[in-house]
Amino acid sequence: MLTARPVSVALLYPGDRAARDRSDPAESRFAALFTAFAAAGVAAEPAVYHDDFADEVAAQLRGVDAVLVWCNPVEAGRRRDRLDAVLREAAQAGVFVSTHPDTILRLGTKDVLVDTRDLPFGGDAVRVDSLDALAAGLPDRLRHGARVLKQYRGHSGIGVWRVERVEASPLLRVQHALRGSAEERIDLSTLLQRMAPYFEAANGGHMIDQAWQPLMVDGMVRAYLVEDRVTGFGHQAINALYPARAGEAAPTPGPRLYHGADLPRFQALKRLLETQWIAQLQQRLGLTRAQLPMLWDCDFLPGEPTDDQPERFVLCEINVSSVSPFPPSSIEPLVEAVKARIMLRTG
């Protein structure tokens, strides 16, 4: 008698040779997800990844139905170029990839802030294509308030800078969002030297300049989604870029608190995302529902209210490359969605 082989999925995340040789689900940060897949009758296996053994991982992926990927675009001097090639090859061979590299380029870079600036969740954002353009345009924009300069791709606050004029002075107040960074007072020339590497072709060749949101002190809201369904929230009470008060040290980021999708405080945001904003985002970027990531998140800052929007949310960034950690409430919907997508593809 022939028996159907179990549906199989690989969980891909970075690690060294020793971690790959062990390939122990229990020691990974996705232990609960491995357990949930097993309970759903899905065979889940670790696919520990490093560029040094990319070919080995590529061979592994040819033997599974789907791969869920957690790998930052830029980390420890490495990029995702080799991994993206592996994932494209896997997708072409019929393996379902949780977020295709082409979707990441449309959805998961800071360019999305410019692409959506006129949508209800958008804000004042400008694409700056050269260091000369930054030098020419930034001083005028700063006359209207603080700005946040963001590199094309990144994570953990790397390459995100708050810039503000110092009254009656040629100096600028500058703060890097990387944890542990201190506010500095520097001139425009020094700032341009700092920003120069982000304009190199290897780093995307441009930056995004977005207006500062003064209500950031109220915290950043992270909406976690599985495809087009909100599955949880994260809320961080204090952001790293919030400036210090006179005579005080800058506040440090508080812990991100995780909540289920039913948290009353953010039900209005959930409704907007599920009934309007995700569809508007798809239409603007030319993405079908099938091209949406399996697991992704949208970061929103509280915007200044208007007559039409007494409670405003302004998009800060979208994360699709390495969405972890995530609230426990996202696990069951993620497993269900992956299983349904595999069944649809395999019949």
Side-chain angles (χ1 to χ4, degrees), residues 16 20 31 77 144 169 172 203 253:
D16 58 16
R20 179 163 179 82
H144 301 282
S169 169
L172 303 170
N203 296 323

Side-chain angles (χ1 to χ4, degrees), residues 44 92 94 208 230 289 325:
Q92 203 166 29
I208 303 302
V230 176
R289 184 178 185 276

Side-chain angles (χ1 to χ4, degrees), residues 225-247:
L225 301 107
V226 170
E227 298 178 302
D228 55 1
R229 174 184 171 191
V230 176
T231 59
F233 292 101
H235 183 248
Q236 193 163 16
I238 300 176
N239 187 278
L241 286 180
Y242 201 79
R245 296 181 179 179

